[in-house]
Amino acid sequence: MGIIRREGALSSVVIYLGIVLGFVLSLFVYPKYLATEEIGLIRVLLDLSGIIVPFMLLGVQNTYVKYHPYFKNSPDQLGAFQLLSMLIPGLGAVLGLGVFYILKPFLISTVASNSPLLVEYIDWLPALIFMISGTKLIRAYFRSEFNITISNFYESIFLRLGYITTVLVYFYLDLGVQWLVYLFILTYALVFISMIISYLSRNTVRINSNFKAIDKEKRREVFSYGLFAILNVLSGSMIIKIDSWMISSLAGLGATGIYAIALALGNVIELPRKSITQISVPVISNSWKNGNMANIRDIYHRTSLNQFIASGLIFTLVWLNIQDLFDLIPNGDVFRQGVWVVFFIGLAKIFSSATGINNEILLVSDHYRYSLAIRLLLVVTAIITNLYFIPIYGITGAALATSISILSNNLLLFLFVWVKLKMQPFKVDNLYALIWLSLIFFVAWLVPIEFDYPLINIVMRSALILVMFVFIVMRMRFSEDLKEMVLLSLKKVGIKL
C-alpha cells in the first residue's frame, strides 16, 4: 500500500491541479468563447475516438500492465514484450481505420439531420484516434513501472492548458470552426510527443526482436488476453461514451454541448478513483502473480474506503454549490439545464468509487473473461435506456441512462468478485464514512449562506464543508491513509496539527 499511497498522493496533487484547470476550461472558457454546438462537436469527436481507440490498440494497454510483472526480471523477455507492444498497434491502426470507414456511412446517417456540423469534420477522426491511442499506450508503460504522476501531468495539466490555449486562439483570431478541430488535434499530438520523450528519457526501453525469449505457452496466453481486452475496453468505452453520440443524433450538437459541461462537473467526482486505480492495477497484478491474496484484500478495502470518502466530499462540494456555480458560468441560464445531469452522474460515480477496484481485480484474475460478459450486457442496456430516456427527458434522460449502466456494471462486478474470489471491500469503517459524510452534507445544507455574490457563497460554504471534513478525519481516525494525506497537504500550506 506504500507505493499506492506515495504515487496516489503525488498524482492527486497533479490531478487536483488538473481539476482547477478543468473547472476553468469547462465552466468559463468553453461557455464564454464557444457556442453550445461547438462544445458538442468537440465532445462527440473525443468520445467517438474513445470508442474506436480499442481497435487500434488491440488491448495492448491492458495486456502490458497485466503481464509486465511476469517479464520485468528478464531483460530478454521484457525487451521482446516491449517490442510486441509497439508492433501490435501498427496492425491495429489498419484495423481501426477499417472499422472507421466501414462505420462512417452509418455514423453520418444517424447525425445528418440533427448534427450536420459533425458530418463536416468526421473525416478528422482517424488523426485524433491515432494521438489518443498513443497517449494511452505510453500511459500503460508508465503505470507498469508504478509511475502515474508523469502521465497524469501531461493528461491533466498539459492537455487542459492546451485546450484553453486552443479555444482562446480560435476565438480571438476569429478562426473558422475547422481550425478549432485542427488545434485540438495538434494539442493531442504535442501531448503524445511529450510523453514519448519523457518515457524514452527514463532509459527503461529494452527492445529485443527475439520473440522466442517468451515461451510459446506464455505468448499464447498473452495474445488470448489481448483479444479479450479489445472487446472489454471497447464495451467499457461504449457504456460511458455512447451517450454523447446518441444525444447528438436524437437532440443535436447544442444539447450535447450543454450535456458536456454538466458531465464535466459530474466526472470531477470520480477523479480520486482514477488516481488511486491507476497505481493500484500494477500492484495487484504483481500480488496476483505472487499469490498474495491478503495484500489484494487489503488494497481492495482501503481503496474502496478512501475513494468513497474523497468522492463523497467532492460530490458534497459540487452539489451544495451547484446553483451558485451555474450563476458564475457565462451563459449560465443556458447550461443550467444540465443541473440534474450533475446529480445523476455524481451519484453513479460515488457508487463506482465505493465499490472499489472490483473490475481491476477481476481483470488480473483467472476469471477476467466474465468482465466482458457483464460489460456486453450493459452496452445493450446503455443503448436501450438512452433510446428510451433521451426522447422523454432530453439530456437528463441521457444522464439517467448512463447512471443506470454505471450502477449496474459496478453492482454486478462487486457481486461476482464477492462470490467467485471471496472478496468484498466493506468493513465497519465504510459505514462510519457514510454516516460522517451524510452529517457533513446535511449540516452544510441546513446552514443558510445566501449572499448576493455567488463566489462568496461558494467560498464560505466550501470552507464550512472542508473544516468539518478535516476535523472528522483527524478525530475519528477511520482512515489512517486519508489522515496522513490531510496532514501532508496541510503541512505543505504551512499548517501543522
Side-chain angles (χ1 to χ4, degrees):
M1 192 71 189
I3 294 174
I4 295 175
R5 186 187 300 160
R6 183 182 69 250
E7 275 297 313
L10 290 172
S11 182
S12 293
V13 173
V14 172
I15 284 180
Y16 288 122
L17 287 174
I19 288 177
V20 174
L21 289 174
F23 266 98
V24 172
L25 178 66
S26 298
L27 302 186
F28 299 102
V29 177
Y30 279 165
K32 182 174 179 62
Y33 297 109
L34 297 181
T36 54
E37 292 80 3
E38 293 167 336
I39 299 172
L41 172 65
I42 296 303
R43 182 72 265 161
V44 175
L45 288 176
L46 289 173
D47 284 350
L48 190 56
S49 297
I51 292 175
I52 299 178
V53 158
F55 290 106
M56 183 165 178
L57 287 178
L58 295 179
V60 167
Q61 76 275 33
N62 294 72
T63 306
Y64 193 86
V65 174
K66 176 176 171 62
Y67 285 99
H68 184 268
Y70 293 86
F71 304 127
K72 66 180 182 180
N73 294 323
S74 170
D76 289 342
Q77 289 184 338
L78 182 59
F81 188 47
Q82 285 184 333
L83 182 58
L84 274 175
S85 72
M86 298 173 191
L87 293 177
I88 290 174
L91 175 63
V94 178
L95 178 61
L97 284 174
V99 169
F100 168 70
Y101 285 111
I102 289 171
L103 291 178
K104 182 181 172 183
F106 168 75
L107 296 175
I108 290 175
S109 68
T110 60
V111 299
S113 58
N114 287 324
S115 302
L117 185 63
L118 181 58
V119 177
E120 295 182 39
Y121 299 102
I122 201 168
D123 283 326
W124 284 97
L125 268 177
L128 192 56
I129 292 167
F130 179 82
M131 301 305 168
I132 294 175
S133 298
T135 60
K136 287 183 177 294
L137 180 60
I138 302 299
R139 182 173 64 185
Y141 292 159
F142 278 114
R143 286 176 66 191
S144 66
E145 297 173 8
F146 305 113
N147 188 321
I148 60 171
T149 305
I150 295 175
S151 60
N152 278 340
F153 166 78
Y154 285 114
E155 294 183 291
S156 296
I157 296 179
F158 192 105
L159 185 63
R160 288 190 171 106
L161 285 173
Y163 284 171
I164 292 171
T165 303
T166 289
V167 173
L168 294 178
V169 168
Y170 166 74
F171 180 83
Y172 284 108
L173 294 184
D174 196 23
L175 302 174
V177 177
Q178 70 273 20
W179 280 101
L180 181 64
V181 176
Y182 301 159
L183 290 171
F184 263 90
I185 295 173
L186 176 62
T187 299
Y188 251 108
L190 291 174
V191 170
F192 179 33
I193 293 169
S194 299
M195 289 179 71
I196 290 176
I197 294 172
S198 292
Y199 187 72
L200 291 177
S201 68
R202 294 167 61 85
N203 296 316
T204 56
V205 178
R206 301 289 185 269
I207 300 299
N208 177 20
S209 60
N210 180 19
F211 299 125
K212 291 183 179 180
I214 303 174
D215 68 76
K216 186 176 181 180
E217 188 63 31
K218 185 59 72 173
R219 287 203 307 269
R220 185 181 295 114
E221 181 183 335
V222 169
F223 283 120
S224 175
Y225 184 84
L227 290 173
F228 151 80
I230 299 170
L231 295 175
N232 192 60
V233 176
L234 172 63
S235 56
S237 296
M238 290 185 68
I239 290 171
I240 60 175
K241 295 182 183 295
I242 200 170
D243 49 1
S244 64
W245 179 263
M246 297 188 74
I247 294 171
S248 65
S249 174
L250 298 171
L253 285 178
T256 309
I258 296 171
Y259 181 79
I261 298 301
L263 189 65
L265 274 172
N267 283 339
V268 165
I269 294 160
E270 195 186 29
L271 285 178
R273 180 184 187 279
K274 290 184 176 181
S275 173
I276 295 172
T277 298
Q278 286 176 20
I279 191 58
S280 297
V281 172
V283 175
I284 62 173
S285 180
N286 195 62
S287 296
W288 186 272
K289 171 183 174 287
N290 296 324
N292 192 348
M293 296 298 107
N295 190 48
I296 294 176
R297 286 188 175 89
D298 181 57
I299 292 172
Y300 194 15
H301 165 63
R302 291 165 75 173
T303 54
S304 165
L305 176 63
N306 294 325
Q307 287 173 181
F308 172 59
I309 294 171
S311 297
L313 172 65
I314 296 174
F315 177 81
T316 301
L317 288 167
V318 170
W319 185 248
L320 293 185
N321 286 308
I322 192 69
Q323 297 300 335
D324 289 308
L325 283 171
F326 279 111
D327 285 338
L328 283 178
I329 295 175
N331 303 308
D333 289 338
V334 174
F335 292 98
R336 200 182 298 272
Q337 299 173 51
V339 65
W340 289 106
V341 172
V342 179
F343 179 78
F344 286 120
I345 295 296
L347 287 183
K349 298 298 186 181
I350 289 178
F351 185 77
S352 178
S353 297
T355 52
I357 53 174
N358 44 38
N359 187 56
E360 289 71 25
I361 291 175
L362 186 57
L363 287 178
V364 302
S365 77
D366 297 331
H367 304 287
Y368 61 82
R369 290 180 179 85
Y370 289 98
S371 174
L372 175 59
I374 292 172
R375 286 191 167 186
L376 289 176
L377 173 64
L378 292 171
V379 167
V380 177
T381 302
I383 294 172
I384 292 173
T385 51
N386 271 288
L387 286 172
Y388 177 77
F389 286 122
I390 291 175
I392 300 175
Y393 302 112
I395 60 174
T396 301
L400 184 58
T402 299
S403 299
I404 290 172
S405 297
I406 294 173
L407 290 168
S408 302
N409 180 56
N410 282 280
L411 180 60
L412 290 173
L413 288 169
F414 162 75
L415 292 173
F416 187 89
V417 171
W418 191 7
V419 172
K420 276 288 184 181
L421 301 178
K422 311 302 180 186
M423 296 183 190
Q424 62 88 15
F426 300 124
K427 295 182 181 180
V428 68
D429 294 343
N430 299 75
L431 178 60
Y432 292 154
L434 175 61
I435 293 171
W436 287 118
L437 284 171
S438 299
L439 179 64
I440 291 172
F441 183 94
F442 285 111
V443 169
W445 178 54
L446 290 171
V447 173
I449 299 177
E450 299 177 356
F451 293 93
D452 292 333
Y453 300 98
L455 185 59
I456 294 177
N457 292 335
I458 292 171
V459 170
M460 294 190 65
R461 194 177 293 115
S462 299
L464 172 64
I465 293 168
L466 290 172
V467 167
M468 288 192 291
F469 176 78
V470 171
F471 176 79
I472 289 172
V473 167
M474 300 306 297
R475 296 300 297 269
M476 298 300 112
R477 299 175 181 268
F478 53 84
S479 173
E480 289 300 319
D481 297 311
L482 201 58
K483 179 183 175 182
E484 287 188 26
M485 291 182 69
V486 169
L487 285 172
L488 180 62
S489 299
L490 291 174
K491 184 178 179 181
K492 287 184 176 181
V493 295
I495 300 175
K496 293 183 179 182
L497 294 180

